[in-house]
Amino acid sequence: MGLDPRWDSLPDEIRHRHGSENLEAVARAYEEFCSRVIDVVAPLVPVVKPQSAFFEACGPAGMVALQRIFGKARQRGLITILDGKRNDIASTASAYADAGLGGIKMADRLHPVWDADALTVNPYLGRDAVEPFLESSRRSGRGIFVLVRTSNPGAGQFQDLMCDGRPVYVHVAEAVGQWTRENLAKCGLGDVGAVVGATYPTELQSLRKLIPQVPFLIPGFGAQGGAADDVAEAFREDGLGAIINSSRGIISSFSLSDPKWEFAVENATRGTIAVLSQRIPNG
C-alpha cells in the first residue's frame, strides 16, 4: 500500500476540517488521511510504503507527520518501506541509512528516526556508496530496495544504454544479485531487493530468472498502467519474492465528497488482492 498523499486528492471532510492556510495544517491532514488508510488496510496487506517527498513538501510539520505514520504502521503490525531513493557517499550515506533504518547513534545511545524496515536506494554512485546502506541495514536487521528498472516512461534514457553488449540495468541487477547473496535467509531470499517497474513486464520476467534470490518491489501497478498479468512473472513458483505496490489506484479510488470514502479504499484494496491472487503462483 503506497502512501502518497496529495492535497487535491484528499477527502473533502478532511480538507475542510484542517484547511490549507499553512503547511502545518496540510501536514495534519496528510497524517489523518494516512492513519485512517492504515486502519482500513492493516488487516488486508502486509506492507505500507510512505513516499517521503509529499511529507517533506510540508516542511518540519510534514516530517513529524511522517514519523507518526511510521509509528502507526508499526503499531498495526505492518512492514514499512521508506521510499526516499537515497544515495550519497561515505558518512553522508551512513547518516541517510541510519536515519531511515536502525537509528542514529550518539553518545552510546541509539535514537530511532524513521525506523523503517526497508529503504529505497539509488545505486548509480557504485558499491562504495551503497555499502553504508548495506552495513546499516544488516546491523539493524533491515533491508534495502535498489533501483534497477524503474516504471517511469523515461527510464530507458540511461537504464537501456548498452554496456559490454547488455543494458545498464542488467549490470545493476547483477550487482544487486551479488549483494543479496551475501546474506540469504532460509527461504532463499536476501536482504537486498530490486525496484522493477510493472510497466516493463518483459524485463520483469527476465530479471526474475537472472536474480532469483532478490525480492522485488514493483511500482507502476494500477494507475500507472501495470496489470496483474504484467507482474505475475515477478513471483517465484511458491508465490513469494515480490511486493506489488499500489498507491493512486487505492487512495484515489473514492469521490472526494463521499463521507464513507474508507469503504471505497477497502473495496479497492480487496479488489486489487482478488485480481492479483488469480495470477500469482499459489494464489
Side-chain angles (χ1 to χ4, degrees):
M1 178 75 241
L3 297 175
D4 305 356
R6 296 168 171 84
W7 176 256
D8 291 338
S9 299
L10 296 184
D12 287 345
E13 55 110 350
I14 291 180
R15 291 192 294 175
H16 293 161
R17 179 160 50 255
H18 293 280
S20 60
E21 64 274 7
N22 53 53
L23 291 177
E24 288 80 4
V26 175
R28 289 193 295 269
Y30 284 2
E31 181 181 348
E32 179 185 342
F33 175 69
C34 291
S35 180
R36 289 170 67 176
V37 168
I38 287 172
D39 281 334
V40 171
V41 304
L44 304 174
V45 306
V47 182
V48 290
K49 182 178 70 65
Q51 168 52 257
S52 64
F54 296 104
F55 296 91
E56 291 178 25
C58 292
M63 306 306 281
V64 171
L66 178 61
Q67 190 174 49
R68 289 173 178 166
I69 289 302
F70 273 104
K72 170 79 177 216
R74 285 192 298 274
Q75 290 173 2
R76 295 305 309 266
L78 293 166
I79 296 168
T80 57
I81 300 173
L82 174 61
D83 194 356
K85 300 176 179 64
R86 304 299 190 208
N87 190 242
D88 216 303
I89 59 172
S91 59
T92 308
S94 295
Y96 274 137
D98 291 344
L101 300 169
I104 301 293
K105 191 172 184 179
M106 296 180 182
D108 296 323
R109 292 190 62 183
L110 191 65
H111 301 273
V113 184
W114 307 124
D115 203 17
D117 293 302
L119 173 68
T120 56
V121 174
N122 189 320
Y124 285 93
L125 291 181
R127 167 79 193 218
D128 64 320
V130 176
E131 190 69 40
F133 295 94
L134 295 175
E135 292 176 355
S136 180
S137 65
R138 289 170 179 171
R139 184 170 59 248
S140 58
R142 316 295 172 103
I144 62 174
F145 285 96
V146 178
L147 303 181
V148 172
R149 189 69 168 103
T150 56
S151 59
N152 57 300
Q157 181 176 3
F158 299 122
Q159 295 170 23
D160 285 350
L161 291 176
M162 300 302 290
C163 177
D164 293 334
R166 294 179 299 169
V168 166
Y169 76 84
V170 172
H171 291 277
V172 177
E174 289 184 331
V176 171
Q178 294 172 4
W179 300 337
T180 206
R181 286 192 293 273
E182 296 170 0
N183 194 30
L184 290 178
K186 292 181 180 179
C187 67
L189 292 166
D191 58 357
V192 183
V195 179
V196 184
T199 48
Y200 296 97
T202 301
E203 290 92 333
L204 190 60
Q205 182 177 6
S206 63
L207 288 171
R208 171 45 71 211
K209 294 177 181 177
L210 179 67
I211 45 176
Q213 298 95 348
V214 174
F216 285 2
L217 173 61
I218 304 177
F221 180 82
Q224 286 183 263
D229 285 339
D230 298 328
V231 302
E233 297 296 335
F235 292 85
R236 306 188 309 183
E237 292 182 358
D238 60 4
L240 300 178
I243 300 169
I244 310 300
N245 178 76
S246 183
S247 299
R248 282 176 290 166
I250 294 177
I251 63 173
S252 298
S253 60
F254 49 83
S255 168
L256 300 186
S257 61
D258 186 357
K260 298 182 177 180
W261 60 268
E262 285 144 308
F263 288 105
V265 169
E266 179 178 353
N267 289 336
T269 304
R270 291 185 181 277
T272 300
I273 293 169
V275 168
L276 288 171
S277 66
Q278 295 174 6
R279 300 296 302 135
I280 294 171
N282 289 341

